[in-house]
Amino acid sequence: MTTEDRQPRGGLRVEGIEKSFGAVKVLHGVDAEVARGEIHALLGANGAGKSTLVKIVTGVIAPDAGAVEIDGARLDLSSSAKAREAGIAVVFQDPPLFPDLDVGENIFAGRYPKARLGLLDRKQSRERVRSVLARLGIDIDPRMLVKDLSVAEREFVAIARALEGESRVLILDEPTASLTPDEARRLFDVVRNYRDHGGAVMFISHRLDEVQALADRVTVLRDGRNVFTGLAREASREQIAEAMLGRKLGLEARGSGGGADRREPALSVRGLSLFRHFDEVSFDLYPGEIVVLAGLVGSGRTEVVETVLGLRTQDSGSVIVAGRELRRRGPRRMARLGVVLAPEDRDAQGLVAGFSGAENIGMAAPGASRWGFLLRRVERDIAQRQLNALAARPDAADVDVASLSGGTRQKVVLAKWLATHPKALLLDEPTHGVDVGTKAEIHAILKRLAREQRLAVLAVSSDIEEVVQLADRVLVMRRGRLAAELAGSEMTERAILAAASGAEDELTAPA
Ligand SMILES: Nc1ncnc2c1ncn2[C@@H]1O[C@H](COP(=O)(O)OP(=O)(O)OP(=O)(O)O)[C@@H](O)[C@H]1O
Ligand SMILES: [Mg+2]
């Protein structure tokens, strides 16, 4: 067989990749092929080895065995610079950006076009930055500092960085996790355009709906092994989920099924306003119910929960916990009163890399943080109990959180806040980056806590399927205001999206 027979269209070819971390083998001879002119989705549950494969293909970590070819030529895997020279562009799952540098500097990161005498040609660079951002349909000033950007904007900076310059292969590791449907659509247009110009695209996502909309073929990994490769349009969602999980995905019941206890709210918000972010927001959250704060990214949801917790100071309005109005708030005081927030950006705000799962959980748990040397055992016990309850990997308490997969990290974040035994749990995008199986597990846990322990849950979610699965009641925000409240049979995807985008009138208008 000649090379031509094997690779009629060229592209990326991954063969027999093996990788162990210490004694744990995570990739067992993985093969994958992404042709030019193809969008190929790489799927698998949390921890299946997708990001590890991406890091190997891009020269970030070395494989124990196996080879990678581009257009039939073997790739030198010894450095990420080599991979880039060979034409591989990548957006990592947690793109390393420099918070104190501006957007342009991040996009060029060490590859700034140099003018004569080796000086940075700032004007030329800014033009190139503007043009790549414009291609993405994104309006960000190249001079803004990355630390001042939203999570979604940062994602676009990472994408712009990958697309700047020449490449033949584009790898996107969960690029849409924090994008609005509209932003995701814009990204998909860019990705399709890249494919239609002969590029090879490897695309990783946990959102099976977008995979089916975008991908030509899919490859599924389970525990570091190939279990399925086929045409995207011929594989059903159920088939893909089953290949990923190695079992059928059960049907989730909607809502917590507990019934709220309406005698006294766990948390009340009255006329809360924060200039430029949200205005006159009022709601009650009762023990035993799950309320989802829905809306488009940028509608003010994150700012509302951050203000409730005291991470931001409102301009007017009040927050009442167990009958007391709390003027001065902050995460510690609120935690003592039983109100905690698991933030959206789990890596920057939720977990500290370099520490184990137990240490991270111990940072928030009362009782574990005072007793000197006794601490470690108490801490570990508390952590282990919480992680067991969440069905997390058995060793998650003991290893550095930086070495855990995205879904397991999310469980550690949840365990950390549940260990404080809150009365009200606020969650910002609780299943961001989590696979379909783990997502169902997390939903089940939250529902059980609401039902059995009367936990009050307020979750911000942009995942419309999640909204309808999880919520007993939905509050929809639009442009900083509460636009609708829906419950029971009113909570349809259509009605929520309509309220979020302000299109209710069209929806209810007679045909
Ligand atoms: N540096 C490391 N040291 C030790 N173990 C690691 C390291 N990096 C990854 N792992 C382990 O390798 C396995 C595969 O992780 P990987 O991040 O590739 O999964 P993934 O498929 O990308 O999952 P997710 O969907 O959650 O992002 C996991 O069990 C993870 O904990
Ligand atoms: Mg990953």
Side-chain angles (χ1 to χ4, degrees), residues 21 26 46-52 93 174 206 393 403-407:
F21 292 108
V26 301
N46 295 127
K50 305 177 298 292
S51 296
T52 303
Q93 183 166 16
E174 289 189 53
H206 287 296
R393 251 177 66 167
S403 72
L404 297 172
S405 79

Side-chain angles (χ1 to χ4, degrees), residues 112-287:
Y112 245 126
K114 293 242 170 49
R116 272 189 314 144
L117 304 174
L119 295 175
L120 300 183
D121 185 342
R122 296 204 164 262
K123 190 152 167 277
Q124 192 204 339
S125 331
R126 267 212 290 280
E127 281 317 304
R128 279 173 59 180
V129 169
R130 285 225 166 81
S131 98
V132 67
L133 290 172
R135 249 162 76 204
L136 290 167
I138 289 302
D139 185 19
I140 309 176
D141 182 342
R143 287 164 303 186
M144 290 254 302
L145 295 184
V146 159
K147 67 178 173 201
D148 297 327
L149 302 179
S150 70
V151 177
E153 287 169 334
R154 272 181 253 163
E155 186 72 39
F156 268 107
V157 170
I159 293 162
R161 177 165 75 188
L163 288 173
E164 211 294 316
E166 297 282 312
S167 66
R168 297 182 272 179
V169 177
L170 175 63
I171 304 180
L172 300 163
D173 193 350
E174 289 189 53
T176 57
S178 49
L179 304 185
T180 62
D182 190 51
E183 288 165 336
R185 262 195 300 279
R186 272 200 314 253
L187 173 64
F188 293 168
D189 286 342
V190 172
V191 169
R192 288 195 186 97
N193 186 43
Y194 187 92
R195 169 195 62 191
D196 296 343
H197 284 83
V201 182
M202 180 186 271
F203 179 79
I204 297 174
S205 170
H206 287 296
R207 297 196 174 167
L208 298 184
D209 48 347
E210 70 185 24
V211 164
Q212 291 189 306
L214 190 66
D216 301 303
R217 282 195 299 164
V218 302
T219 285
V220 181
L221 299 184
R222 184 163 80 235
D223 299 330
R225 292 186 171 82
N226 290 80
V227 290
F228 177 83
T229 293
L231 291 175
R233 67 182 128 79
E234 286 176 4
S236 72
R237 263 179 89 112
E238 289 69 31
Q239 246 178 329
I240 292 173
E242 205 176 323
M244 279 171 58
L245 304 173
R247 60 178 162 82
K248 280 209 183 334
L249 183 64
L251 262 190
E252 249 183 278
R254 291 175 63 167
S256 72
D261 175 357
R262 299 205 170 252
R263 278 170 302 182
E264 188 183 24
L267 175 74
S268 293
V269 170
R270 286 287 170 275
L272 205 63
S273 302
L274 179 63
F275 182 58
R276 291 224 167 110
H277 292 288
F278 58 85
D279 201 31
E280 291 288 322
V281 170
S282 302
F283 62 87
D284 293 309
L285 176 69
Y286 291 98

Side-chain angles (χ1 to χ4, degrees), residues 2 247 302 392 432 472:
T2 66
R247 60 178 162 82
T302 293
H432 175 146
D472 296 315

